[in-house]
Amino acid sequence: MLRKEYDHIILLAHGSPDPLWKEPFESLYQQVSKVYGDGNVSLAYMELTSPSLEDVVAGLKGDFNTVAVLPLFLAVGRHLRHDVPKQIDALQRENLRIELLPPIGDDSLVKEAMQTVIANHLGKV
Amino acid sequence: MLRKEYDHIILLAHGSPDPLWKEPFESLYQQVSKVYGDGNVSLAYMELTSPSLEDVVAGLKGDFNTVAVLPLFLAVGRHLRHDVPKQIDALQRENLRIELLPPIGDDSLVKEAMQTVIANHLGKV
């Protein structure tokens, strides 16, 4: 698949009132930032959990041309159609263009992995 | 990984007021049921979108011993800690035991796929 590459990716998870909920997202972020550097990847939450997207964008250091927000969501609903684009619009600056990517669950690699997990549970793989 | 195998898997997604939101879950379900048969897999929604878990369990045909609910969620929060176990408890019958699995996002295959998607967006793979 041909992909555009980005200088910095902000992983954006939903957020939850449950403090334990964020653990898998923190863990994913730790894994990725350990390999690719925490200058290349950040983690933010849409609501209820900090840091917010606004906090993370305010804290970005360095000269980035292309920053992308990659939603750690499985599907597009009103959050990704309305709330997140509105948050991003408010954060655009002349020297910092932020692009919203499709949700990670939309990627064929994640879809294929989910199909395999289901097949494994059925004992079919 | 050693896995227990199940006679029937109910994929359980969150549900949304947005009618387009369910498309990727329907698509995943179509893919899996095409390969493994719709007698082996069902799709239900926790709230807001039909069919509910209750609808799907009521419609199960055949003699199943081990039915598992596989949440199409990325993380465990109050829904999977409280709401879904309560829904499942109300549906247990003597001849139909229903087991709640960890969410699909907890599986190492899905975690690895998500790491690869992020690395791809950074141009590192």
Side-chain angles (χ1 to χ4, degrees):
Chain A
M1 191 189 302
L2 188 66
R3 290 174 201 264
K4 191 173 163 189
E5 294 173 9
Y6 298 92
D7 296 328
H8 191 94
I9 304 274
I10 301 173
L11 307 175
L12 182 74
H14 186 291
S16 166
D18 185 328
L20 296 176
W21 175 88
K22 68 177 181 176
E23 192 281 326
F25 303 105
E26 299 281 343
S27 165
L28 176 67
Y29 169 71
Q30 294 301 333
Q31 289 290 327
V32 175
S33 65
K34 200 166 64 189
V35 179
Y36 303 111
D38 57 10
N40 290 316
V41 194
S42 304
L43 175 63
Y45 297 93
M46 186 191 66
E47 63 184 15
L48 301 165
T49 302
S50 66
S52 67
L53 192 55
E54 191 179 357
D55 295 338
V56 166
V57 170
L60 282 180
K61 285 176 179 52
D63 193 17
F64 302 121
N65 292 309
T66 54
V67 172
V69 172
L70 175 60
L72 303 179
F73 284 60
L74 290 177
V76 173
R78 73 193 146 83
H79 289 318
L80 294 183
R81 237 183 289 284
H82 301 289
D83 306 339
V84 174
K86 210 171 154 187
Q87 290 182 354
I88 289 177
D89 279 352
L91 296 169
Q92 301 282 12
R93 298 197 297 260
E94 202 175 324
N95 59 349
L96 182 76
R97 301 308 295 171
I98 307 171
E99 189 175 324
L100 179 60
L101 297 173
I104 201 161
D106 209 39
D107 196 287
S108 57
L109 290 175
V110 176
K111 287 181 177 172
E112 283 158 23
M114 291 196 294
Q115 288 179 29
T116 304
V117 171
I118 297 164
N120 280 334
H121 280 302
L122 288 167
K124 305 288 189 187
V125 171
Chain B
M1 192 190 301
L2 189 65
R3 291 175 202 262
K4 191 173 162 188
E5 295 173 10
Y6 298 92
D7 297 328
H8 192 93
I9 304 275
I10 301 173
L11 307 175
L12 182 74
H14 186 290
S16 166
D18 185 328
L20 296 176
W21 175 88
K22 69 177 181 177
E23 192 282 326
F25 303 104
E26 300 281 343
S27 165
L28 177 66
Y29 169 71
Q30 293 301 335
Q31 289 290 325
V32 175
S33 65
K34 200 166 62 186
V35 179
Y36 303 111
D38 57 10
N40 290 316
V41 194
S42 305
L43 175 63
Y45 297 93
M46 187 191 65
E47 63 183 18
L48 300 166
T49 303
S50 65
S52 67
L53 193 55
E54 191 178 357
D55 296 337
V56 166
V57 169
L60 281 181
K61 285 175 180 54
D63 193 18
F64 301 122
N65 291 309
T66 52
V67 172
V69 172
L70 175 60
L72 303 180
F73 284 61
L74 290 176
V76 173
R78 73 193 147 84
H79 290 316
L80 294 183
R81 238 183 288 284
H82 301 290
D83 306 338
V84 175
K86 211 171 153 187
Q87 291 182 353
I88 289 177
D89 279 353
L91 297 169
Q92 300 283 11
R93 297 197 297 260
E94 203 174 323
N95 60 349
L96 182 76
R97 303 307 295 172
I98 307 171
E99 189 175 323
L100 179 61
L101 296 173
I104 202 162
D106 210 39
D107 196 286
S108 57
L109 290 175
V110 176
K111 288 180 175 170
E112 284 158 22
M114 290 197 293
Q115 287 178 31
T116 304
V117 172
I118 298 164
N120 280 333
H121 281 302
L122 288 167
K124 304 291 189 185
V125 170

